[in-house]
Amino acid sequence: MYYIALSLILLGVIKECLSYKTDKWYFHFCFILIALMACLRYGQGTDYYGYSAVFKEFSSRIASGGSLYNIRTEFGYNLMMYFAILFKIPYWGFMIAVTSVMMIFCYSFLRRSCECSMTSLLFFYIYFYMIYGLSATRQGLATSVFLCFAYPILDREILQKKDILRYEFIILLASLFHSSVLVLAILPIMNRLSISPTGYLLAFIVCVGISLAKINLMSYLPIGSLSARMDIYSATKNTNFLALFSRMFLVLPLIFYKQESSWWFEKNKRYFFLGFTIYSIISFSDLTASRVWAYFYPFLFILIPCIVFEDKSVKSRYYICFYILLSVFMWLKDINATMEQGKYVNCNVFTYPYVSIFEGDEVIKCYRTSFIK
């Protein structure tokens, strides 16, 4: 089912690249399809049963008169679980509700900021949906709040003081679902910054050097406990070099690509490069770096369609093909990682199953036997 959705989206991207026009009807068809798949999934993703355990633990705590505060999850997510428990909604019903909210918020972003582009939907499907839409639910919620409510504020040539205050307030609200979203609070400082191609390249070389040398810059800060916290969170100090190189290949072509008349393109390019810079600085703690980097993928959803519609040269076609091929490869890698972390059996990366709530334990137990009692 996941491959069918990918194929349908790719067909739309090909049509869009050839016609230079968006097909809003086809976009809505594909988005509704993947949204329904996400909402009606059962036992899918690495964290599905982990969140199920949190839900059961929280339910027991509420039943015994405990508070809404939970050291494992943020207050906003706890509040959502509380109302689900209050109305006696089972875990699978809770996941439908949470995923529906996430998809609605993401739809708003894709419709308004990406203008229903199939190219944007492709990168959304590959870099957000398959990981944060289906698995890392809290971070997916935090990201969707940012996309729906905070990004439209950034989507202006000049930000006023009141705009920045509104933006920071929304980021604080988003952090009620996952505190790591606070990294996006620094984006307004990039608003009026101008960076030359040479500046980008030099910064890129420095960032790659920091990552390859496994330098822990956080240890030199007076708040050294933050570095220790990241080590505990990731449970590893190793740099994932495949992840690093994939991000290098995402960033590097954009360094040499410039749209002279598009402040919008250059602004989003600065945001995306900032994400790579932060990723490099904390890449000594791989999982933490990957979680933080996830918030900057949405800028790619905007940058690549800009190349599709604004630049009709042969060069731009090479850019698009490169990004599509690289992204599909990364999608396959992520599915393989999901299967390994989720302890899937009786399938491989090309037969990765889709299981709905209508099939339930009877089907999912064929693939995730270690989680079904």
Side-chain angles (χ1 to χ4, degrees):
M1 194 67 182
Y2 294 114
Y3 283 92
I4 292 174
L6 177 66
S7 300
L8 290 172
I9 295 172
L10 281 172
L11 286 174
V13 171
I14 293 171
K15 179 184 177 183
E16 190 170 272
C17 290
L18 293 176
S19 65
Y20 303 105
K21 295 179 181 178
T22 58
D23 187 337
K24 293 185 178 180
W25 288 103
Y26 192 72
F27 168 87
H28 283 94
F29 166 75
C30 289
F31 185 85
I32 291 172
L33 172 65
I34 63 174
L36 287 174
M37 287 170 56
C39 292
L40 299 178
R41 77 190 188 279
Y42 186 86
Q44 299 281 276
T46 56
D47 295 340
Y48 188 90
Y49 290 106
Y51 277 119
S52 177
V54 170
F55 188 84
K56 291 176 182 176
E57 178 187 326
F58 189 78
S59 180
S60 300
R61 174 181 296 187
I62 295 300
S64 61
S67 72
L68 291 178
Y69 293 96
N70 186 340
I71 194 171
R72 296 177 62 184
T73 52
E74 287 79 1
F75 181 77
Y77 189 77
N78 294 344
L79 193 62
M80 295 181 73
M81 288 194 292
Y82 174 77
F83 282 112
I85 294 165
L86 185 66
F87 291 102
K88 298 184 179 355
I89 298 173
Y91 174 68
W92 59 265
F94 171 69
M95 290 307 297
I96 289 177
V98 170
T99 307
S100 296
V101 170
M102 192 192 310
M103 289 295 113
I104 290 170
F105 287 170
C106 289
Y107 167 75
S108 176
F109 167 76
L110 291 168
R111 179 180 61 83
R112 290 186 301 175
S113 300
C114 302
E115 300 181 349
C116 298
S117 167
M118 289 301 299
T119 308
S120 295
L121 186 61
L122 173 66
F123 291 103
F124 167 79
Y125 183 71
I126 290 175
Y127 290 113
F128 178 88
Y129 176 88
M130 293 298 293
I131 302 174
Y132 304 98
L134 301 181
S135 187
T137 307
R138 289 183 297 123
Q139 190 168 4
L141 270 173
T143 306
S144 68
V145 171
F146 161 72
L147 294 177
C148 183
F149 300 104
Y151 180 79
I153 299 174
L154 289 177
D155 197 15
R156 301 171 186 177
E157 189 168 5
I158 298 177
L159 292 180
Q160 304 296 331
K161 184 177 180 180
K162 63 179 182 180
D163 296 325
I164 296 175
L165 290 175
R166 282 176 55 220
Y167 173 83
E168 300 296 355
F169 177 71
I170 294 170
I171 294 300
L172 282 175
L173 290 179
S175 70
L176 293 176
F177 300 107
H178 204 288
S179 57
S180 62
V181 77
L182 289 171
V183 70
L184 296 175
I186 66 175
L187 288 185
I189 67 174
M190 305 293 290
N191 187 53
R192 296 188 179 183
L193 194 64
S194 179
I195 306 176
S196 67
T198 302
Y200 273 120
L201 187 58
L202 289 175
F204 177 83
I205 293 171
V206 171
C207 288
V208 172
I210 291 172
S211 296
L212 292 178
K214 302 181 181 181
I215 300 174
N216 181 356
L217 294 179
M218 305 299 293
S219 64
Y220 297 99
L221 296 178
I223 48 173
S225 60
L226 180 60
S227 173
R229 180 176 177 83
M230 286 195 295
D231 287 338
I232 294 171
Y233 181 72
S234 65
T236 178
K237 296 183 181 180
N238 293 330
T239 299
N240 185 329
F241 290 107
L242 177 59
L244 171 64
F245 291 141
S246 68
R247 287 158 177 76
M248 286 170 52
F249 286 127
L250 284 175
V251 171
L252 189 59
L254 289 172
I255 290 177
F256 298 103
Y257 186 88
K258 186 175 180 63
Q259 290 189 351
E260 298 291 344
S261 61
S262 179
W263 64 265
W264 192 54
F265 181 89
E266 290 301 319
K267 188 177 190 178
N268 283 283
K269 178 177 169 180
R270 290 195 297 271
Y271 293 149
F272 190 58
F273 191 81
L274 175 64
F276 180 73
T277 302
I278 296 172
Y279 173 84
S280 300
I281 291 172
I282 60 176
S283 61
F284 65 90
S285 192
D286 177 56
L287 182 57
T288 307
S290 297
R291 289 292 177 96
V292 170
W293 167 258
Y295 293 114
F296 295 88
Y297 273 130
F299 300 113
L300 194 66
F301 309 164
I302 293 170
L303 291 168
I304 305 305
C306 277
I307 298 176
V308 172
F309 293 108
E310 300 298 328
D311 186 348
K312 299 179 181 179
S313 66
V314 174
K315 180 183 72 172
S316 71
R317 303 303 98 183
Y318 289 129
Y319 272 92
I320 302 303
C321 290
F322 170 78
Y323 275 107
I324 290 176
L325 290 174
L326 175 62
S327 299
V328 170
F329 169 77
M330 293 304 298
W331 184 72
L332 293 172
K333 183 189 75 69
D334 288 337
I335 289 180
N336 185 65
T338 297
M339 292 175 59
E340 289 182 357
Q341 295 168 17
K343 300 179 181 179
Y344 278 76
V345 295
N346 302 322
C347 59
N348 57 48
V349 70
F350 297 107
T351 58
Y352 179 61
Y354 174 77
V355 182
S356 74
I357 59 173
F358 304 110
E359 297 165 304
D361 287 343
E362 289 301 315
V363 174
I364 196 65
K365 69 182 182 181
C366 298
Y367 303 105
R368 305 189 72 178
T369 54
S370 60
F371 291 94
I372 306 298
K373 305 299 182 183

